[in-house]
């Protein structure tokens, strides 16, 4: 919570042209909370940083509303400075511990990224991806069309009451 609030102040300062003060707040946040969020990163509302230690979110990254990001996640860039080089994460996404999402890739709404995965290409809405590099192993389509893996921290894709909440489809090459 405190890291997110500090980021929101730093983001306001960054957008107001006060880059030095924004970077100072980022530095203090990194030192105190071990969470490094660039002041220019765009974060939606309802984000949960679960056990936030080690989270890194780059300058041009965008994180949608109601996402859950576990510890040691990197939303990192690739390529040159001053270009759009960081991930764009949709609403309701769950990113597992130690996952790295690198480059200007799009993570679709309601997607789920397994712990330790390396994502270097786009993931469609409601996909479930794991591995290095990440491969899509299925999709999460909640029966009620309202919940997402992030809203319930559902890392298994089922809630125990209705096993038809998730449909896994075999992926080629696995």
């Amino acid at each position: 919570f405190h890291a997110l609030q500090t980021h929101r102040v730093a983001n306001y300062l960054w957008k107001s042209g006060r880059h030095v003060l924004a970077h100072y707040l980022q530095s203090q946040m990194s030192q105190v909370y071990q969470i490094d969020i660039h002041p220019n990163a765009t974060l939606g509302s309802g984000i949960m940083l679960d056990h936030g230690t080690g989270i890194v979110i780059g300058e041009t990254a965008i994180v949608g509303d109601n996402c859950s990001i576990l510890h040691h996640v990197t939303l990192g860039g690739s390529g040159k400075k001053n270009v759009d080089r960081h991930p764009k994460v949709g609403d309701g996404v769950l990113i597992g511990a130690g996952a790295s999402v690198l480059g200007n890739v799009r993570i679709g709404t309601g997607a789920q990224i397994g712990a330790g995965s390396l994502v270097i290409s786009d993931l469609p809405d409601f996909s479930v991806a794991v591995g290095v590099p990440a491969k899509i192993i299925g999709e999460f389509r909640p029966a009620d069309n309202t919940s997402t893996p992030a809203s319930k921290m559902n890392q298994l894709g089922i809630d125990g009451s209705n096993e038809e909440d998730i449909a896994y489809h075999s992926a080629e090459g696995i």
Side-chain angles (χ1 to χ4, degrees):
F1 172 78
H2 289 104
L4 288 171
Q5 293 305 91
T6 303
H7 166 73
R8 295 190 193 292
V9 173
N11 182 260
Y12 172 81
L13 292 168
W14 184 272
K15 293 187 183 315
S16 299
R18 301 179 70 187
H19 295 182
V20 173
L21 185 54
H23 273 298
Y24 173 77
L25 281 179
Q26 173 198 10
S27 175
Q28 293 302 301
M29 174 178 51
S30 181
Q31 184 177 8
V32 172
Y33 305 114
Q34 291 80 47
I35 297 174
D36 186 3
I37 305 172
H38 192 282
N40 195 41
T42 303
L43 304 182
S45 63
I47 293 174
M48 183 178 76
L49 305 179
D50 191 24
H51 303 287
T53 302
I55 292 175
V56 177
I57 301 176
E59 179 178 11
T60 59
I62 297 173
V63 179
D65 296 335
N66 303 314
C67 291
S68 293
I69 301 174
L70 280 70
H71 56 283
H72 293 286
V73 166
T74 298
L75 302 179
S78 63
K80 301 177 182 177
K81 269 189 155 185
N82 302 321
V83 296
D84 194 2
R85 64 188 193 282
H86 292 93
K88 311 301 176 259
V89 178
D91 297 339
V93 172
L94 173 61
I95 304 176
S100 294
V101 184
L102 302 178
N104 188 11
V105 298
R106 180 189 171 277
I107 307 302
T109 296
Q112 196 171 357
I113 300 170
S117 296
L118 171 64
V119 179
I120 54 175
S121 59
D122 293 354
L123 296 178
D125 293 350
F126 301 104
S127 60
V128 178
V130 297
V132 177
K135 294 183 181 183
I136 297 170
I137 62 164
E139 65 177 20
F140 177 87
R141 295 266 181 200
D144 60 9
N145 288 325
T146 59
S147 63
T148 60
S151 65
K152 296 181 180 178
M153 290 299 291
N154 186 349
Q155 297 181 48
L156 297 177
I158 57 175
D159 64 9
S161 64
N162 181 3
E163 292 189 17
E164 294 181 14
D165 279 353
I166 189 165
Y168 282 103
H169 305 285
S170 66
E172 292 183 31
I174 296 180

